[in-house]
Amino acid sequence: MISAESLSASQEDYLEAIFHISEKKMAARAKDIAKYLNVKASSVTGALRILGKHELINYAPYDLITLTDEGRAIAEEIVYRHQALEKFLVNVLGIDREDADAAACKMEHHVPKAIIERLVKYAEYVDHCPRGGVSWESGFGYYCKHGCTDQDCERCTGEMEIKTEKQL
Amino acid sequence: MISAESLSASQEDYLEAIFHISEKKMAARAKDIAKYLNVKASSVTGALRILGKHELINYAPYDLITLTDEGRAIAEEIVYRHQALEKFLVNVLGIDREDADAAACKMEHHVPKAIIERLVKYAEYVDHCPRGGVSWESGFGYYCKHGCTDQDCERCTGEMEIKTEKQL
DNA sequence: ACAAAAAGTAAGGCGCGCCTAAAAATATCT
DNA sequence: AGATATTTTTAGGCGCGCCTTACTTTTTGT
């Protein structure tokens, strides 16, 4: 029994790739995985053997590759993280979908579960109650482009910035 | 000339450690760095040689370790990313400072610059114009604990969730 | 000054994850 | 079926980043 925490980032990528490929083709081939991950086919074999050893995939040489129940559960968890991150980046921060996807790929292995959950809550809040939340559409996008245009805003005198102590 | 992008996560950690240690002691010793990064002193030597070769630190065997101007600039960029992330996690998402710091450590090497900048903007917006933004204090924290309590909220019938297509 | 302690360095090893080149298994075509 | 093309696996190598062990340099105490 392997917990999702003990997988390396690379192994998570393989699991995620297998999951996505399996959605469309019933089973994944090594070649597909290699193409999906921009990796050589020979690199895939080793990864598959490890995932097989952990019983996350059904793997036998020259045979079809499928996820075990446990593997699928973990893969879904990973995909969930990716989607949650991407959704947050797009809906809240206003990042382009394409950039958000790329960023999510980089980040997904390194954001603690607790943070993901909080961030889902936040996106949900923004999406659910637009009158209270700040999405890109409801104010933040405008602020991003034009800054604070509220004449009466008492903060506009004392600007706040994040600076390193010794920064010039 | 080395750009900040070409440094490995590990090298960034070393640079960051040297920066923080130098803030308090004028110069860093290998032992301090080892302790700071929970790494053996012998592992430090190799890293220092690489950073020295890239002219990010002034390094000579048995001598004091200081940052070059370029090294300091990059270190400040790294620290900035860490602080920006942490601030966002705390002020916007309401994560405990301690957890936020740990999370920032894990994430800081993997969040694209453009995302960091957007996220700084967002935190700034929330902090700057609390009447418009949603910080932990101004509504989101309450929502997190109690959910949407607006009786008239027309969204509360059609719940939205992030789900994998095949998820049970 | 000189032995003892502390700090730093060198050499060699290990795991991970990728690569290339070549061999083996499988699929396809006539 | 037999030749050919495709896919997969094996074998061996490389870089990174960490480790341990042993050695050298510097600092410290008397």
Side-chain angles (χ1 to χ4, degrees):
Chain A
M1 175 73 173
I2 243 45
S3 80
E5 325 303 328
S6 67
L7 292 173
S8 71
S10 159
Q11 288 168 334
E12 288 191 356
D13 282 334
Y14 279 101
L15 224 43
E16 195 177 359
I18 295 167
F19 179 84
H20 280 128
I21 293 166
S22 297
E23 273 187 333
K24 301 194 175 174
K25 306 179 71 169
M26 299 304 302
R29 290 177 308 165
K31 193 200 181 186
D32 300 324
I33 300 170
K35 189 179 175 190
Y36 190 97
L37 294 177
N38 282 311
V39 146
K40 298 302 169 189
S42 59
S43 304
V44 174
T45 306
L48 294 183
R49 215 170 4 221
I50 293 172
L51 292 175
K53 197 173 298 171
H54 290 336
E55 302 191 347
L56 301 181
I57 61 173
N58 301 114
Y59 171 70
Y62 299 104
D63 206 348
L64 292 175
I65 297 155
T66 54
L67 290 164
T68 63
D69 287 347
E70 192 185 349
R72 171 167 296 101
I74 294 179
E76 280 169 355
E77 163 70 24
I78 295 164
V79 170
Y80 168 79
R81 292 210 305 263
H82 181 107
Q83 292 182 344
L85 257 174
E86 186 172 337
K87 178 162 184 162
F88 180 85
L89 294 175
V90 171
N91 291 356
V92 178
L93 296 188
I95 307 288
D96 291 340
R97 171 131 256 132
E98 210 172 320
D99 294 345
D101 183 62
C105 279
K106 282 190 183 180
M107 296 167 66
E108 61 187 0
H109 308 298
H110 309 281
V111 182
K113 209 168 176 178
I115 305 286
I116 294 279
E117 273 156 25
R118 180 56 59 82
L119 177 149
V120 166
K121 271 269 188 229
Y122 194 91
E124 185 189 303
Y125 178 54
V126 165
D127 195 59
H128 188 89
C129 302
R131 86 190 57 180
V134 180
S135 64
W136 179 254
E137 291 80 16
S138 78
F140 177 51
Y142 184 82
Y143 174 82
C144 246
K145 284 177 191 138
H146 308 101
C148 184
T149 51
D150 181 354
Q151 299 296 347
D152 303 330
C153 177
E154 65 283 341
R155 293 288 186 108
C156 277
T157 47
E159 205 81 3
M160 248 209 87
E161 295 181 68
I162 301 172
K163 290 259 185 204
T164 297
E165 289 168 15
K166 286 193 172 181
Q167 206 166 345
L168 298 184
Chain B
M1 175 72 172
I2 241 52
S3 79
E5 322 305 327
S6 68
L7 291 173
S8 71
S10 158
Q11 287 169 333
E12 287 191 357
D13 282 334
Y14 278 101
L15 225 42
E16 194 176 0
I18 294 168
F19 180 84
H20 281 128
I21 293 166
S22 296
E23 274 186 334
K24 301 192 175 176
K25 306 180 71 170
M26 298 305 303
R29 289 176 308 165
K31 192 199 181 185
D32 299 323
I33 300 170
K35 189 178 173 189
Y36 189 96
L37 294 177
N38 284 311
V39 145
K40 299 301 169 187
S42 58
S43 302
V44 175
T45 306
L48 293 184
R49 215 171 1 224
I50 292 172
L51 292 176
K53 198 173 298 173
H54 290 337
E55 302 192 346
L56 302 180
I57 62 172
N58 301 114
Y59 171 69
Y62 298 106
D63 206 347
L64 292 175
I65 297 155
T66 53
L67 291 164
T68 62
D69 287 346
E70 192 186 348
R72 172 167 296 103
I74 294 179
E76 280 169 355
E77 162 71 22
I78 296 164
V79 170
Y80 168 80
R81 292 211 305 263
H82 181 107
Q83 291 182 344
L85 256 175
E86 186 173 338
K87 178 163 184 163
F88 181 85
L89 294 175
V90 170
N91 292 356
V92 178
L93 297 188
I95 307 288
D96 292 339
R97 171 131 257 132
E98 210 172 320
D99 295 344
D101 183 61
C105 279
K106 283 189 183 180
M107 297 167 64
E108 60 186 359
H109 307 299
H110 308 281
V111 183
K113 210 169 175 176
I115 305 287
I116 294 278
E117 273 156 24
R118 180 57 58 86
L119 177 148
V120 165
K121 272 269 189 229
Y122 194 92
E124 184 191 305
Y125 178 55
V126 166
D127 195 59
H128 188 90
C129 303
R131 84 191 56 179
V134 179
S135 63
W136 180 254
E137 291 80 16
S138 77
F140 178 52
Y142 184 82
Y143 173 83
C144 246
K145 284 176 192 138
H146 307 101
C148 184
T149 52
D150 182 354
Q151 299 295 347
D152 303 330
C153 177
E154 64 282 345
R155 294 286 188 109
C156 277
T157 48
E159 206 82 2
M160 249 209 85
E161 294 181 69
I162 301 173
K163 289 260 184 202
T164 297
E165 288 167 16
K166 287 195 172 181
Q167 206 167 344
L168 300 182

